[in-house]
Amino acid sequence: MGTIAQEDLYRLITGATQKGERVVLATVTATRGSTPQQRGAKMLFLQSGEAKGTVGGGCIEAEVWAEAQQAMRSGQPALHHFSLTAEEASEEGMVCGGTMDIFIDVLE
């Protein structure tokens, strides 16, 4: 999954919300050290289960996906901190080693 053009992102959000569907938008708000994406990267989750964009890939994206599904059910936004420190990175086979804050917002 690659990055998503801003106009496509907002077109998808508008289309879904006009149909009364809940969407979840994950945005990288801060990074420290080496990370797979930079601040501002976005990933959109639609009620259909479809996702567009990327916030990093691998383990981080899997964790964000799970948090986004929880937010889809609860309707509650939240800021999440993800650590890609050397110890955790080696355990998971990652090569980054930084930290990321990702805000998961719910749009209706």
Side-chain angles (χ1 to χ4, degrees):
M1 214 175 304
T3 58
I4 184 170
Q6 194 151 320
E7 65 184 46
D8 292 336
L9 173 79
Y10 291 111
R11 180 183 47 77
L12 288 166
I13 291 170
T14 300
T17 56
Q18 284 178 344
K19 290 189 271 183
E21 296 176 5
R22 181 178 282 174
V23 295
V24 172
L25 180 62
T27 304
V28 177
T29 59
T31 64
R32 286 165 292 292
S34 177
T35 58
Q37 285 289 335
Q38 297 303 310
R39 186 171 51 91
K42 294 180 178 8
M43 187 170 184
L44 181 67
F45 299 87
L46 302 171
Q47 214 166 352
S48 66
E50 189 176 4
K52 300 285 186 184
T54 185
V55 291
C59 296
I60 289 298
E61 208 145 282
E63 289 183 50
V64 169
W65 189 289
E67 296 294 349
Q69 298 312 306
Q70 174 61 31
M72 184 74 74
R73 288 187 296 276
S74 72
Q76 298 299 310
L79 179 64
H80 299 274
H81 181 77
F82 298 95
S83 181
L84 305 164
T85 62
E87 182 180 318
E88 291 161 329
S90 65
E91 288 174 9
E92 299 294 333
M94 299 181 289
V95 295
C96 295
T99 61
M100 300 175 79
D101 292 336
I102 299 177
F103 182 64
I104 298 178
D105 200 5
V106 180
L107 308 169
E108 298 189 63

